[in-house]
Amino acid sequence: MVDRCLAPEVAYEICKMDGLHGIPLRDHYGDDTAQGLEDITFLTEAGRRGWGVLTQNPRIWQVPQERTCIVEHRTRVFSLDDPNASKTLKGLVLGRHLLSIRRRLHRPDPCFWRLRLQATRKDLV
């Protein structure tokens, strides 16, 4: 699931990759609903369905209710660490970590990873 803070095209490009399926929040919930949707709602659903979440909101982990939700529902969250980065840099960061993300999605336990160009900060492994 691709958070509303990222362009839907990110999800559509992910779909082109073998073994991955990306869906923007607006396509899943409808545009109006997605705009007002609380993070806890989609984090809970993603965890229950076994979906990963791609976002560019690294602050999710700092919000106690959202952090608890990720752990309790075993949600796997991958966040681009710099929401102000250019589209090119975001693409490079995602591309660099894509294989690690794919491997991590096969594990059922929760995670919260902040994706950076040179490294990954794993707040929850």
Side-chain angles (χ1 to χ4, degrees), residues 29-40:
Y29 290 103
D31 198 26
D32 290 336
T33 302
Q35 288 305 317
L37 197 65
E38 292 186 24
D39 291 349
I40 289 175

Side-chain angles (χ1 to χ4, degrees), residues 11-122:
Y12 305 144
E13 289 300 316
I14 288 172
C15 287
K16 295 177 183 177
M17 299 172 196
D18 188 37
L20 292 175
H21 181 75
I23 182 167
L25 281 182
R26 76 171 195 187
D27 288 4
H28 185 68
Y29 290 103
D31 198 26
D32 290 336
T33 302
Q35 288 305 317
L37 197 65
E38 292 186 24
D39 291 349
I40 289 175
T41 303
F42 73 82
L43 291 170
T44 298
E45 181 172 4
R48 286 182 182 155
R49 291 178 179 254
W51 295 348
V53 173
L54 179 62
T55 185
Q56 68 176 10
N57 180 2
R59 293 180 306 273
I60 286 176
W61 186 249
Q62 297 167 351
V63 177
Q65 304 92 316
E66 294 173 4
R67 183 175 53 243
T68 299
C69 178
I70 290 168
V71 172
E72 287 180 358
H73 295 285
R74 305 171 65 88
T75 309
R76 290 149 306 163
V77 181
F78 306 92
S79 175
L80 298 170
D81 198 46
D82 183 1
N84 298 315
S86 68
K87 288 181 182 179
T88 301
L89 183 56
K90 290 176 187 178
L92 287 170
V93 170
L94 183 58
R96 182 187 189 291
H97 296 290
L98 198 55
L99 289 176
S100 296
I101 291 169
R102 287 175 66 172
R103 282 192 297 269
R104 184 59 184 85
L105 285 170
H106 290 291
R107 292 179 43 198
D109 48 319
C111 71
F112 188 90
W113 287 9
R114 295 180 202 208
L115 308 174
R116 299 175 177 162
L117 188 57
Q118 297 302 324
T120 302
R121 177 176 169 183
K122 298 176 182 177

